[in-house]
Amino acid sequence: MTKSSTFRLSAREWLEANCPPAMRTPPPEGGIVWAGSRVHFDSTEQQQWFERMRDKGWFAPDWPVEYGGGGLDASDTRILEEELSRLRCRAPMINLGVWMIGPVLLASGSAEQKARHLPGMARGEVAWCQGFSEPGAGSDLASLSCRAERDGDSYVVNGSKIWTSYADRSDWMYALVRTDPAAGKHAGISMLLIDMTTPGVTVKPIDLISGKSHFCQVFFDNVRVPAENRVGAEGEGWQLARDLLGHERRAMSKFGDNNVPGVDFLALARQLLPLADTASRPLLAERVARAAMDEHAYKLTLQRAHEAGRAGQDVSGLVASFKYLHSEQNRERHELLMALAGNEALGWEGDPFDETLLKLTRQWLNSYTYTIAGGTSEIQLNILARRVLGLAASGG
Amino acid sequence: MTKSSTFRLSAREWLEANCPPAMRTPPPEGGIVWAGSRVHFDSTEQQQWFERMRDKGWFAPDWPVEYGGGGLDASDTRILEEELSRLRCRAPMINLGVWMIGPVLLASGSAEQKARHLPGMARGEVAWCQGFSEPGAGSDLASLSCRAERDGDSYVVNGSKIWTSYADRSDWMYALVRTDPAAGKHAGISMLLIDMTTPGVTVKPIDLISGKSHFCQVFFDNVRVPAENRVGAEGEGWQLARDLLGHERRAMSKFGDNNVPGVDFLALARQLLPLADTASRPLLAERVARAAMDEHAYKLTLQRAHEAGRAGQDVSGLVASFKYLHSEQNRERHELLMALAGNEALGWEGDPFDETLLKLTRQWLNSYTYTIAGGTSEIQLNILARRVLGLAASGG
Amino acid sequence: MTLILGEEQRMLQDSAADFFASRLPLAANRALRDLGLTHDTQAWHEMDELGWSGIALPEELGGLAFPLSGIALIQAQAGRTLAATPLLSSNILCAGTLALCASDAQQRDWLPGLASGKLRAALALDEGPRHDPVRITLAAHRVGDNWLLDGAKAMVMDGTLADTLLVAATLDGETALFILPADSAGITRTPLALIDSRDAARFAFEQVAVAADGLLARGNAAEQVLATVLNRARICLAAEMQAISRVLFDTTLDYLKQRQQYGVLLGSFQALQHRMARLFTELELAESCVAAALSALDGDGDLALLAALAKGKTGEVALKIANEAVQLHGGIGVTDELDIGLYLKRIRVAEAQCGDHIFQRTRYAHLIQLAEAL
Amino acid sequence: MTLILGEEQRMLQDSAADFFASRLPLAANRALRDLGLTHDTQAWHEMDELGWSGIALPEELGGLAFPLSGIALIQAQAGRTLAATPLLSSNILCAGTLALCASDAQQRDWLPGLASGKLRAALALDEGPRHDPVRITLAAHRVGDNWLLDGAKAMVMDGTLADTLLVAATLDGETALFILPADSAGITRTPLALIDSRDAARFAFEQVAVAADGLLARGNAAEQVLATVLNRARICLAAEMQAISRVLFDTTLDYLKQRQQYGVLLGSFQALQHRMARLFTELELAESCVAAALSALDGDGDLALLAALAKGKTGEVALKIANEAVQLHGGIGVTDELDIGLYLKRIRVAEAQCGDHIFQRTRYAHLIQLAEAL
């Protein structure tokens, strides 16, 4: 038996024994544990699963054991992920520390920073949030204006960050700040680690058109941050952020795996179609078929990209189209279901409405977010046109 | 009785007496006389109508009598047009001389040019064509490169013009040429009158995807044009062309009045719908309804612009959208009829196919022309965005 | 048919614009929502005092001699600030029905109250998810001198605040229209919380007794009257949606002219320019449809055809513009702080009410004899 | 199901690409058109010699042991140069039917000829403007030992050149499939001039006698076989349209990269960039559908569903790309001199053949049980 099959068997055995059956079902909305100092569990099973994985070091399976990680190599880490997925285990927690800033500290942090921050991340004891986006900057991240002025051993931070997920439940933030306004757009940016309890930090949750959200706006009013909390050198922030965002897809896919299951488009459409007025019914059915065909085509495209990639073909163009296609198709499906559900999809809350249809309505409103967040559809099209199709920038 | 009611009555009386009844029906395709030295008549009535209007001076009703015109003032000219339209008289001829270059010569031509050219235009004895567009210039007219070099009392013209309607049946061309390559894009352009029988002029008809067309490409190979045939000063060509194109809408509307009647969208759709496969039928009917609604809305918009204009409101934005809307809706209706007619719309020619459907197929292919010619849809959208909506040019 | 407003229409439009801008501006309507209120009762009384509730109703019963288009004009101005009004339910749908088919006695019983705003009525029609005025299952039967109603209505706009209900029922296989107090015995009313924060309720009718004179019309007459008032309502909703589209378009255009990204104005990106230019042409087409439908509302033009055209076209265009408005505003476009979301939600409700654009398209197909061709 | 080509498939694809590029390049096909010819008989013989006509037919009857996807791959390459081939009519539709349901004797009678290319067959099915395999009115009845056929077929692809006809008829209210020589007594054949210059004919059948062994299948069996070969044909047409879309897309992209207007490259205009980027995503979606359908053609996947998906998606996308290709080329886009018009016309024909994208969408709706929901 090879080393890897041995590991696979032992991992599988451990997971079977330690992942409570209730944790092998899709989580309800908001049902994933947000790790940190104010961690809260909805159930005993949730807590068990959290603690067992933590103690095993498997919140960060590939980190060195000295920092609280599992010490696995890349191959065993992948095997562990496969087994977690095979058993449909929920993510034991959400933790931007382990997923995002942790790897950057491992690679570029000082010895002190590693020793101070990594174990807390790996044990899920410290909640981290990301302070990159700013009001008024939109997709143009590098135009950020949140200012950090050096004052002795500290930086004094003034400005604001927006779209920060769970800032209201976070202990620390990793943030991009402008340390040198005179330098070039990218060159003047540095990365700071900011304790959210520092005086001058205010967090305001953001309401969306779909209702409450995990997004917050964070305000900094003369917030003093020790200079030792700067990651890398001054002006290196932009490069570090690029490294960090390389981990984002992986992190997002974990979010994705554990996403609240959406309403089942086809099942709901089949249920609503017979209730539609006679004249509109065939037209609605055709639109459903069209959306279903588009979704079918998209799934086949994912599969084709996977196969072609494995066969060594260049699939970068295909992959660059996924975010655009997925979010636009998702919008379209929700618009259609809204038309099918008619009056019954006009509910904001309350018993008289069917629970699935209330969920549909919120999801419809939420679907607007996906064509904007993480690079708007327009940015995606720019990327496709310029990088994939090779068209020159900017004619007018 | 006022002067104008007197004129209206006498014009009406004359037209009733002189316009043969056969000339009060819509003309068949190609059924309008192309005036010029090689004029050809399909019927006695056509010839009568041509000669009577010519002798009355009403090919150019508002030109001075000395140049062969009718000597009418603007008000009587409008009354004459109303009466022609009321009686549904066909245009007695197509003549770019009278409609386009004639007014420019009247305003800016030399005395010799007027005396030499205007009477032939007003009598329909000389056919004129327009040499503006060039291969490779597209919508960007001012980038023309057809070269006219001064050589003693002549210009020597080299280059090519494209999209020249009926060049193969024309006696003269008014052309834009570049007389000064060193001057600015617009400043180096002059207007020449070119005898099409001059050695070095070659005309090649253009086949379109819809078949034969009246468009030609004209090649100039060291064509000598007397300098006295230059209209206005050197470098004034661009301004003269702008004046001239101001007449184009009026001329086009005359073309339009006498256009071959298209296939009747709704009538044909109603005829084809019952023949469609059962499952597609309601979907096709909905698409027809949608196109019909768009057409209905467009017609209402024309009416609204008319009423609002008369009430003194600014309708320039509305008017700027007409070409775009009309040509795009026209494309859409043809696409739809092609789907409805299915196999029966795949014929290129020949008896087995229904005549209306053969016409549909050619019209469908022709419908591509309208979103391109006279300013592409993209140009129309640029104009709307910049002039009407006031958005700044050129971001990327 | 005329497609521009007359002098009197313009004056009403201006005074409605003033009223909503000063009395029910968007901030006030947002505040109502945050308080969980569906409308401002005092402001509604002020509208009554302006005579709006009585528009186009018999003058001798307290009505106002202004043509029906007046209500569409008011509704459009209300749309701009997202103000709720009682006019669509009480006047267009309910009083309108009474004026068309009620007996003199019935008119005397109900119209003065509705025209003055002392009574507020709502139409109980839709039973399923999508608007469907021909599939009515709420049943009426005769018992002695009375009628008994049994069944349910899924979505009655202004149903919570209404004191009077106009109910569409099926009676011996025909459509019948009844009028009755909303608190009649046997009625269960459940308020609904809608995305646009307007008033609506669900109703259950269990052996609800209606007096003999509660029957307004039945059979063909009932169907025709219902068709007429629904067409009028469709035109008012079209006018409202068009007004909202215009606000959203203008707001988005302004944003594109001010907002910078990567150092240039958003509005200078040609891809966005073309989208805005296309929306502009769509908006103007829809505007013409509304203009023609306003004429039809006042008797000049084919009411059914122009109602289907206007609601179909404005609904389609409004959805498109609302979606583009959110998208082109980017991140802030999806925040509740921005007003766009409020307009978006209202459009979704107005689009569904009295038939969405797909429904209207099938109506239009029917009216131009396309359905017969099948 | 695998969505990338295997080694053997790639080899066939490459040799087909070579064949059409050298033997029937676009210029040659344009020249054929200008001469009024629908195909190059000699080149067709060369295809026969390559064994293509025998693909997936029984080896003992002259067939070639290559899976059916081979024909779709060939058809795609033929599409790139707009070359006509006999494969869709003769092999996929006609020989394919024989292989599925003919008796051994019938197979021995017809298959060797079809597999070698000595016989060319065409399917006579469509009677109305739009494809409709369930509405067949051409009638068959028994007279003694023979069958008699009466009726008409409006559009038979390759009908002029065919020496053998496969006719779909209605027999006692059921579908029945007959095979007979195309010059049988009572048949009137009228050649059609199509916009894509390919071969087609209209047929009238007047008391056409077919020998007893001319009946291939009837009832359920006939319908199922017909459904199967039509689905295969749809996939081949999808592969062809997709190949054409790719040519048009690439041509247009190149043009945008070279052509200047107002001093800048056309391709640098963002509005055009976004249109091209959207087309790119559509093209890739369609490509995946074709890839899956190729697998289904070889038995791996749901043939009916993937045929509807592939033809529906490629047809829709091909029309869109062709229209954009013309528009983005501007004035020269509508000239016959440019090849775009030829591709556009071919796409219109391929889109209509065996059901356009609207037809396929209704098929797909039916197959995923949406129609049942109504």
Side-chain angles (χ1 to χ4, degrees), chain B residues 57-91:
Chain B
W58 282 0
F59 283 171
D62 57 346
W63 287 14
V65 178
E66 58 172 311
Y67 298 132
L72 303 185
D73 61 19
S75 147
D76 286 353
T77 303
R78 200 165 47 244
I79 288 170
L80 175 61
E81 275 166 13
E82 285 166 12
E83 290 302 311
L84 282 161
S85 161
R86 207 185 59 85
L87 265 183
R88 299 176 199 281
C89 305
R90 288 186 198 173

Side-chain angles (χ1 to χ4, degrees), chain D residues 351-366:
Chain D
E351 157 76 348
Q353 211 180 339
C354 299
D356 66 6
H357 69 278
I358 299 172
F359 178 95
Q360 306 302 339
R361 227 181 261 161
T362 66
R363 292 275 314 141
Y364 192 93
H366 174 78

Side-chain angles (χ1 to χ4, degrees), chain A residues 139-140 163 207-209 275-277 280 287 331 335 339 341 343-344 346 348 352 364 368 371 378 396, chain C residues 129-130 135 155 192-195 202 259 261-262 270 275 323 327 331 334 336 344-345 348 359 361-362:
Chain A
S139 311
D140 184 12
W163 305 122
D207 284 349
L208 298 183
I209 55 176
L275 306 178
D277 53 297
S280 304
R287 283 170 172 68
R331 285 268 318 111
E335 290 288 333
N343 287 326
E344 297 298 323
L346 302 180
W348 180 247
W364 160 64
Y368 286 95
T371 55
E378 290 71 29
Chain C
R130 289 172 57 84
R135 204 161 43 164
M155 174 73 69
L192 299 175
L194 299 193
I195 50 174
R202 192 157 285 189
R259 171 82 175 191
Q261 195 156 70
Y262 300 106
Q270 196 201 28
R275 277 155 71 171
N323 289 346
Q327 180 69 24
V334 296
D336 183 66
L344 171 72
K345 289 167 183 169
R348 259 291 160 201
F359 177 94
R361 227 182 261 161
T362 66

Side-chain angles (χ1 to χ4, degrees), chain B residues 91-266:
Chain B
M93 52 141 211
I94 293 175
N95 188 326
L96 294 194
V98 170
W99 294 343
M100 304 288 288
I101 181 68
V104 171
L105 288 187
L106 268 174
S108 316
S110 66
E112 294 72 22
Q113 287 171 342
K114 289 181 196 178
R116 177 169 177 196
H117 292 295
L118 295 179
M121 293 174 187
R123 293 188 55 79
E125 289 164 358
V126 182
W128 286 81
C129 62
Q130 172 170 300
F132 283 8
S133 301
E134 293 189 9
S139 313
D140 184 11
L141 198 58
S143 74
L144 62 87
S145 63
C146 185
R147 187 81 179 84
E149 273 175 292
R150 187 67 182 247
D151 181 30
D153 278 352
S154 299
Y155 288 100
V156 180
V157 180
N158 279 290
S160 168
K161 292 290 174 182
I162 199 166
W163 305 121
T164 301
S165 288
Y166 300 108
D168 52 345
R169 299 200 235 160
S170 293
D171 303 302
W172 282 77
M173 170 189 276
Y174 53 93
L176 291 181
V177 292
R178 190 162 296 282
T179 40
D180 183 358
K185 205 170 165 185
H186 298 92
I189 295 174
S190 303
M191 185 181 281
L192 293 183
L193 308 179
I194 305 178
D195 183 338
M196 294 292 279
T197 61
T198 320
V201 176
T202 322
V203 176
K204 193 185 123 207
I206 297 173
D207 284 347
L208 298 183
I209 55 176
S210 51
K212 301 277 169 220
S213 81
H214 54 74
F215 293 118
C216 300
Q217 185 166 0
V218 182
F219 300 89
F220 301 98
D221 181 17
N222 287 318
V223 174
R224 294 195 80 84
V225 179
E228 66 202 49
N229 286 1
R230 189 190 66 232
V231 186
E234 263 202 8
E236 266 185 25
W238 185 251
Q239 185 51 50
L240 290 169
R242 288 181 61 124
D243 297 347
L244 187 145
L245 290 172
H247 306 292
E248 191 167 36
R249 178 133 20 123
R250 211 174 130 224
M252 285 304 118
S253 78
K254 297 204 188 188
F255 264 111
D257 286 347
N258 292 292
N259 243 347
V260 189
V263 295
D264 180 334
F265 169 62
L266 268 181

Side-chain angles (χ1 to χ4, degrees), chain B residues 259-277:
Chain B
N259 243 347
V260 189
V263 295
D264 180 334
F265 169 62
L266 268 181
L268 190 52
R270 284 200 195 97
Q271 183 186 324
L272 289 168
L273 269 171
L275 306 178
D277 53 298

Side-chain angles (χ1 to χ4, degrees), chain C residues 299-316:
Chain C
D300 185 11
D302 182 334
L303 182 73
L305 188 71
L306 290 168
L309 179 66
K311 181 134 203 298
K313 198 75 195 146
T314 54
E316 186 191 1

Side-chain angles (χ1 to χ4, degrees), chain D residues 45-70:
Chain D
H45 287 313
E46 292 166 30
M47 293 183 211
D48 296 334
E49 278 157 24
L50 290 165
W52 292 354
S53 293
I55 284 178
L57 296 178
E59 282 178 84
E60 61 278 17
L61 297 176
L64 182 71
F66 199 98
L68 267 176
S69 62

